[in-house]
């Protein structure tokens, strides 16, 4: 009796496809906690876009701002502006984190102040 050679390849292809779909599903589950993307910039006091929301005025370039609550995550959709977030009050110390003009993510530590800069 002859064993077909195609069966092991088919099994491997099915395994790879299943792993890819599981990976995509996991990514979707992580993104599900975020608020929907919308034009503008938002700082959140919790991770994954949770907690108190601070809406950022993207037209106020260069001014330093201190949100009421430290920021733990950020979401920005803008074609011309990005954010510089600082771990110290009054935009003190080194620039701790800079976003692009399209970003969504948790920050490495709590940010106490920010300024809007050109992208």
């Amino acid at each position: 009796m002859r064993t077909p050679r195609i069966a092991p390849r088919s099994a491997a292809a099915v395994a790879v496809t299943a792993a890819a779909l599981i990976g995509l599903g996991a990514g979707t589950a992580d993104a599900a906690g975020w608020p929907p993307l919308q034009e503008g910039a938002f700082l959140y006091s919790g991770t994954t876009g949770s907690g108190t929301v601070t809406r950022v005025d993207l037209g106020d370039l260069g001014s330093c701002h201190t949100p009421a609550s430290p920021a733990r995550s950020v979401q920005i959709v803008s074609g011309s502006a990005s954010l510089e977030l600082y771990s110290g009050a009054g935009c003190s110390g080194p620039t701790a984190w800079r976003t692009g003009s399209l970003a969504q993510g948790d920050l490495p530590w709590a940010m106490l102040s920010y300024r809007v800069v050109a992208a």
Side-chain angles (χ1 to χ4, degrees):
M1 183 168 184
R2 196 176 206 197
T3 306
R5 290 185 179 178
I6 297 173
R9 290 183 190 162
S10 296
V14 169
V16 169
T17 302
L21 291 174
I22 290 170
L24 288 174
T28 303
D30 290 343
W34 283 93
L37 284 176
Q38 57 183 321
E39 184 77 26
F42 306 89
L43 300 174
Y44 301 93
S45 63
T47 58
T48 323
S50 64
T52 304
V53 180
T54 300
R55 185 177 182 104
V56 174
D57 178 4
L58 292 176
D60 188 11
L61 292 171
S63 299
C64 183
H65 298 276
T66 302
S69 302
R72 296 293 310 189
S73 57
V74 61
Q75 185 178 66
I76 181 169
V77 177
S78 169
S80 59
S82 61
L83 299 176
E84 287 183 348
L85 298 132
Y86 297 84
S87 58
C91 298
S92 63
T95 300
W97 192 264
R98 186 170 183 163
T99 70
S101 61
L102 176 61
Q104 177 185 61
D106 290 336
L107 299 167
W109 50 82
M111 302 297 179
L112 301 180
S113 57
Y114 68 92
R115 78 176 77 231
V116 178
V117 295

